[in-house]
Amino acid sequence: NYFEIIFLEQTWIEVYNDDKTLVKSGLFNIGDRIDFEFKTQISDYFIKSGNLGGFQIFFKDEFFAPFGYSGQVHNGFYLLEKILEVKNRRL
């Protein structure tokens, strides 16, 4: 059980595990990818970004388009909660 962040624009991002320990941070370029594995069924990741429009998520054989606009700063969201929110909007 994993997810991948795929960068569409130059993007600053921080990724924390569910106990808020920083696991990845940096400025990523177009085409960069980073992978994460869920350790348990209830684990989650918290993502902060300086460019919400600069990345998409690949999770369970599905792409989730950017969660905001190019250059939009966000103080963070839990990944699984955000994916559920997006899926509910599609219904």
Side-chain angles (χ1 to χ4, degrees):
N1 211 4
Y2 78 98
F3 74 97
E4 183 175 36
I5 299 175
I6 303 161
F7 294 92
L8 309 171
E9 300 175 1
Q10 189 175 60
T11 303
W12 169 82
I13 200 167
E14 287 182 351
V15 181
Y16 299 83
N17 63 17
D18 47 10
D19 70 358
K20 294 285 184 114
T21 301
L22 182 65
V23 292
K24 194 73 168 181
S25 176
L27 182 63
F28 296 87
N29 294 305
I30 297 170
D32 287 348
R33 297 167 177 255
I34 48 178
D35 296 326
F36 298 91
E37 184 178 346
F38 291 100
K39 302 295 183 201
T40 68
Q41 292 289 353
I42 59 170
S43 62
D44 202 352
Y45 286 89
F46 189 78
I47 299 173
K48 292 182 180 183
S49 177
N51 182 5
L52 278 182
F55 64 95
Q56 65 181 358
I57 302 288
F58 182 73
F59 175 67
K60 290 192 175 182
D61 298 325
E62 191 172 354
F63 284 99
F64 292 88
F67 296 111
Y69 301 102
S70 183
Q72 182 181 359
V73 176
H74 199 282
N75 290 327
F77 59 87
Y78 282 98
L79 176 66
L80 295 178
E81 183 179 304
K82 184 63 89 173
I83 286 174
L84 184 60
E85 180 184 310
V86 169
K87 283 188 170 197
N88 286 337
R89 273 190 258 144
R90 290 179 183 170
L91 297 178

